[in-house]
Amino acid sequence: MKSKIPLFILFCLCGSSMAFAQKNIQTADVCVYGATAAGVIAAYAAKQMGRSVILVEAGKHIGGLTSGGLGYTDIGNKYVVSGISRDFYRRVGKHYGKFEQWIFEPHVAKEILMQYITTAKVNILYEHEVVTAEKEAAYIRQITLRYTGANGKQADKTIKARMFIDCSYEGDLMAKAGVSYIVGREANSVYTETYNGVQRMDKHQFPDGIDPYVIPGDPKSGLLWGISGETLAERGTGDSKVQAYNYRLCLSNELSNRITVTKPDEYDASRYELLLRVIEKNQSVNLSPHLKIDIMPNHKTDINNNGPFSTDMIGMNYNYPEADFATRQKIAKAHENYTKGLLYFLGNDERVPMHLRQEMLQWGYPKDEYTNNANFTPQMYVREARRMVGAYVMTQDNCVGKRTVADGVGMAAYTMDSHNCQRIVVNGMVKNEGDVQVHGGGPYPISYRAIIPQPGECKNLLAPVCLSASHIAYGSIRMEPVFMVLAQSAAVAASMAIGENKSVQEVDVKKLQQLLKTNPLMDGTTPEILVDNDDTAHVTIHGEWEAVTHGAYGPSKLMSNDSNVQRSVRFTPTISKAGSYKIYYYLSASEKPSATTQIKIFNGQMVKTVPVAATALKVEGQTSGGWVDLGVYTLPAGKKGYAEITSEGSDGTVIADAVLFIPG
């Protein structure tokens, strides 16, 4: 006789099962994958647009490189940094008692990024990697995430959303969704470029005469560690090689906040034999040819790769872009051991000259950074992994101004940049290959079509980080502030698509551009007004000024060197709302600046002259200038007020570049 289960017990069991199933299914309007700085901004912007959001991070770290050691911000031209991205650097400035700041400590960046998360009440799922993406009619209907516990047990979770934004450095969600992408370098012939593919140039290059063999002069002894046996291909040849990764290193030389660099796991001094040969060849007087040490606030650093043998672990990351999470962790750990070993070697190996060892030993890991990761950054610098092949591909022509787009939703201005991809033997000498550092043109727009897939592949995914660009164009675009700008644009586009029940390809880009312009902070506040010298509708020039592109804010700046002739540049904003405005003048560096620049402020009724000393600003970081506070003024609506830069009383170069009017 079969036993019967009472109905109330059966109901409880079924209800429990249903509750468990529901617990493992979450829904949202927008799912953002990757809690990089771009991911944080995307999630915040989507919430500010009134959408429900889930932010997913495969690891435990939030903020990506921005909070992972890259405190010496790669900018190119601050003109391209807008919206919430610019707000981030303003908040950094406020933390340090300045208007804005581009160099900062990792924990400060993380705290500020968490402000956005907390304010918008964004739900974050840590340690969940995407394993599948289910599509229907080219729409992602749901994705499956996997959590792996410390005991190895796994648990899956399903996320259903109307829109998905991939803000990871690797493009994992994009790949799972079946979107076309590429890894490596295209041949120059693919997009009619000149700096793509194989490139052996002179930056971060070994000097002639460095022997590649274990026993110098004896090929039979084998190659030193880190040197590939491949032969150099023809210039411009495409391949699947990936530019080198490294860790951006935050160290401290403050004794009370310094942890001694000790010998890491799997330390092998032979890995650094090439470095010894470079030191001997160059007779290095300090560490700067081998480590790019940029000073951060509070006695800390952001150390980057420099020279032929440095923190870049060249050729050891080829498998990373397509690897699973566990394999990536092993690759990252190998990079960590190499980097820690390099620091230990420089400070402790007796073959390193004493003066270099002493310089290295003044630095150690900071006690107050990465306290949950043994005081070492958890974020490897994944400079490039997958790149989408989307509805539009950004190329070298965009970077140099030969081709432009009308659907820009962000801008870039950095050098066309690639780190080395391989270390090989050429004519019996060791050489690096892949490094490119070529200046393009001024700021240029990034197409909206470059952050969306081809229409037939996916209709509800945006990829503002692994965007559609050739290898060399990506090298110009791939800066943290630009990623944040594009992420905001992606979030606003996703919200518009939801509101209008459209695909991402059907979003009205002009409407998107207008929304980003009129509500840049996504909080409804009156936007600031920037008047740049290239804005002919709002700038009046008297006398002859020289237009210069180098070191400008925006496309160019105006310079005057003759105090005998009265010259002026008037910046007249269109004020939509009368009220109080704080006015800033952009002071950029020049070889022989005037000791004082006279700026006249007209509030619609009277003129006030404000003298600005050349010493009013200390330029820090990768920038040629900064904003100088001219005071607070009550300005009428319309075009009645202005700020006028004059050559009156000058004794050197006067700069007329940009003026900023901030309401409030």
Side-chain angles (χ1 to χ4, degrees):
M1 182 177 178
K2 296 180 179 179
S3 61
K4 295 182 179 180
I5 302 174
L7 286 177
F8 78 91
I9 295 178
L10 183 63
F11 176 80
C12 290
L13 289 172
C14 292
S16 175
S17 177
M18 291 174 63
F20 178 78
Q22 290 173 352
K23 184 178 179 181
N24 284 279
I25 298 176
Q26 292 189 24
T27 61
D29 294 325
V30 179
C31 173
V32 179
Y33 187 79
T36 58
V40 171
I41 298 306
Y44 173 80
K47 279 299 292 281
Q48 291 296 99
M49 292 287 288
R51 305 301 175 189
S52 58
V53 177
I54 295 175
L55 175 59
V56 181
E57 168 55 36
K60 302 177 183 179
H61 176 66
I62 189 167
L65 261 298
T66 296
S67 60
L70 205 164
Y72 193 77
T73 309
D74 298 309
I75 306 168
N77 191 316
K78 288 187 288 189
Y79 179 83
V80 307
V81 186
S82 58
I84 303 170
S85 178
R86 182 167 57 205
D87 180 68
F88 169 80
Y89 296 99
R90 296 272 174 85
R91 294 190 187 198
V92 172
K94 184 177 181 180
H95 175 87
Y96 290 110
K98 299 179 181 179
F99 175 54
E100 65 185 24
Q101 179 139 321
W102 304 85
I103 62 172
F104 46 83
E105 300 156 271
H107 77 273
V108 172
K110 183 177 180 180
E111 289 170 4
I112 292 171
L113 289 169
M114 285 303 300
Q115 291 174 9
Y116 294 107
I117 294 296
T118 303
T119 300
K121 298 179 180 178
V122 174
N123 178 25
I124 307 179
L125 289 175
Y126 291 103
E127 298 182 87
H128 281 75
E129 59 176 311
V130 62
V131 290
T132 63
E134 297 179 26
K135 289 196 303 184
E136 179 185 353
Y139 281 88
I140 302 172
R141 296 306 182 192
Q142 63 184 39
I143 63 173
T144 300
L145 305 174
R146 181 160 295 158
Y147 170 82
T148 303
N151 59 2
K153 290 186 177 181
Q154 296 180 330
D156 288 355
K157 186 184 293 289
T158 298
I159 303 294
K160 296 183 177 182
R162 297 181 66 182
M163 288 285 152
F164 293 84
I165 305 174
D166 190 342
C167 287
S168 68
Y169 293 124
E170 298 84 5
D172 288 337
L173 175 55
M174 174 185 75
K176 297 295 184 185
V179 172
S180 296
Y181 64 85
I182 186 172
V183 174
R185 304 179 285 185
E186 300 93 346
N188 271 332
S189 58
V190 174
Y191 297 117
T192 318
E193 297 175 303
T194 56
Y195 297 112
N196 210 335
V198 171
Q199 301 284 335
R200 184 167 70 90
M201 296 189 177
D202 60 344
K203 298 291 193 302
H204 303 292
Q205 186 58 273
F206 285 91
D208 287 348
I210 301 294
D211 194 289
Y213 302 112
V214 174
I215 299 175
D218 183 7
K220 293 181 181 179
S221 66
L223 295 169
L224 288 172
W225 180 90
I227 302 175
S228 167
E230 290 194 27
T231 56
L232 179 65
E234 183 180 351
R235 181 176 180 179
T237 302
D239 58 28
S240 60
K241 293 180 174 64
V242 180
Q243 62 174 307
Y245 300 163
N246 72 341
Y247 283 93
R248 297 292 286 258
L249 300 172
C250 181
L251 302 182
S252 174
N253 65 355
E254 186 174 18
L255 189 59
S256 62
N257 193 39
R258 188 180 73 191
I259 300 172
T260 301
V261 174
T262 56
K263 185 186 298 185
D265 298 337
E266 302 176 16
Y267 176 73
D268 183 354
S270 68
R271 290 184 171 188
Y272 311 104
E273 175 65 30
L274 267 178
L275 177 57
L276 284 177
R277 295 184 186 184
V278 172
I279 291 172
E280 182 180 0
K281 177 76 173 182
N282 291 342
Q283 293 295 297
S284 305
V285 298
N286 55 43
L287 289 174
S288 61
H290 315 293
L291 298 174
K292 185 176 184 292
I293 304 175
D294 292 308
I295 303 302
M296 298 297 103
N298 296 316
H299 309 284
K300 294 176 185 173
T301 67
D302 171 1
I303 297 178
N304 196 8
N305 182 82
N306 200 38
F309 193 104
S310 185
T311 59
D312 279 1
M313 198 177 181
I314 299 171
M316 306 298 178
N317 61 339
Y318 297 162
N319 295 330
Y320 182 90
E322 302 272 29
D324 60 26
F325 188 71
T327 303
R328 285 181 183 161
Q329 286 182 310
K330 292 178 182 178
I331 295 171
K333 184 63 176 178
H335 279 69
E336 178 183 330
N337 285 336
Y338 165 78
T339 305
K340 289 180 174 179
L342 174 65
L343 300 179
Y344 179 81
F345 180 84
L346 284 169
N348 295 275
D349 195 291
E350 292 184 356
R351 294 171 295 171
V352 176
M354 178 62 75
H355 64 282
L356 299 183
R357 278 184 278 153
Q358 289 176 336
E359 183 181 353
M360 185 68 245
L361 288 172
Q362 70 176 300
W363 297 103
Y365 304 120
K367 293 179 181 178
D368 61 346
E369 298 289 354
Y370 315 120
T371 54
N372 61 348
N373 198 60
N375 308 100
F376 188 84
T377 174
Q379 180 63 63
M380 184 167 67
Y381 194 171
V382 179
R383 291 187 170 91
E384 183 176 0
R386 298 182 178 102
R387 302 188 310 279
M388 179 169 63
V389 181
Y392 181 92
V393 180
M394 300 291 293
T395 70
Q396 181 178 320
D397 279 353
N398 295 99
C399 302
V400 300
K402 287 185 178 180
R403 184 170 58 161
T404 191
V405 297
D407 63 340
V409 290
M411 301 188 79
Y414 203 76
T415 298
M416 289 181 286
D417 177 271
S418 173
H419 281 237
N420 280 303
C421 299
Q422 60 180 331
R423 182 173 288 148
I424 54 179
V425 179
V426 180
N427 298 325
M429 300 177 289
V430 60
K431 293 291 178 182
N432 289 334
E433 183 279 312
D435 187 272
V436 178
Q437 297 177 54
V438 178
H439 180 70
Y444 61 91
I446 302 167
S447 173
Y448 172 70
R449 290 164 291 158
I451 66 171
I452 60 174
Q454 299 172 39
E457 294 187 343
C458 194
K459 297 182 178 180
N460 64 334
L461 173 71
L462 300 104
V465 176
C466 291
L467 71 153
S468 180
S470 71
H471 161 69
I472 200 60
Y474 191 81
S476 172
I477 296 168
R478 62 168 185 84
M479 305 303 144
E480 290 285 291
V482 175
F483 283 158
M484 287 190 266
V485 171
L486 294 175
Q488 178 180 350
S489 299
V492 175
S495 180
M496 290 173 60
I498 291 171
E500 298 172 9
N501 198 28
K502 292 181 176 180
S503 69
V504 294
Q505 290 83 8
E506 295 171 317
V507 167
D508 185 335
V509 178
K510 289 186 177 179
K511 184 178 177 181
L512 169 61
Q513 291 170 328
Q514 185 63 20
L515 206 161
L516 292 167
K517 181 180 179 181
T518 58
N519 191 16
L521 300 183
M522 299 289 111
D523 61 1
T525 57
T526 303
E528 61 188 46
I529 303 168
L530 171 70
V531 183
D532 186 70
N533 67 283
D534 292 289
D535 182 1
T536 56
H538 296 90
V539 173
T540 305
I541 302 173
H542 293 285
E544 293 186 6
W545 292 72
E546 180 186 3
V548 177
T549 58
H550 180 70
Y553 184 93
S556 74
K557 62 182 178 182
L558 300 175
M559 298 175 58
S560 172
N561 296 296
D562 190 351
S563 61
N564 295 320
V565 180
Q566 293 302 307
R567 299 168 178 170
S568 65
V569 181
R570 180 174 295 181
F571 296 76
T572 307
T574 299
I575 303 293
S576 59
K577 184 179 180 181
S580 177
Y581 285 81
K582 199 164 193 177
I583 303 178
Y584 290 86
Y585 159 64
Y586 195 82
L587 176 61
S588 57
S590 59
E591 288 187 7
K592 297 179 179 179
S594 176
T596 305
T597 296
Q598 303 294 334
I599 302 178
K600 297 179 179 179
I601 309 294
F602 180 61
N603 66 357
Q605 295 181 332
M606 59 181 293
V607 174
K608 178 182 178 181
T609 300
V610 181
V612 175
T615 57
L617 184 74
K618 179 184 178 182
V619 178
E620 295 179 309
Q622 290 192 38
T623 179
S624 59
W627 297 106
V628 176
D629 187 349
L630 301 180
V632 178
Y633 303 85
T634 300
L635 300 179
K639 298 176 69 174
K640 299 176 183 177
Y642 62 76
E644 186 172 82
I645 300 168
T646 75
S647 63
E648 293 179 9
S650 63
D651 57 1
T653 301
V654 173
I655 301 293
D657 199 350
V659 178
L660 188 61
F661 302 81
I662 300 181

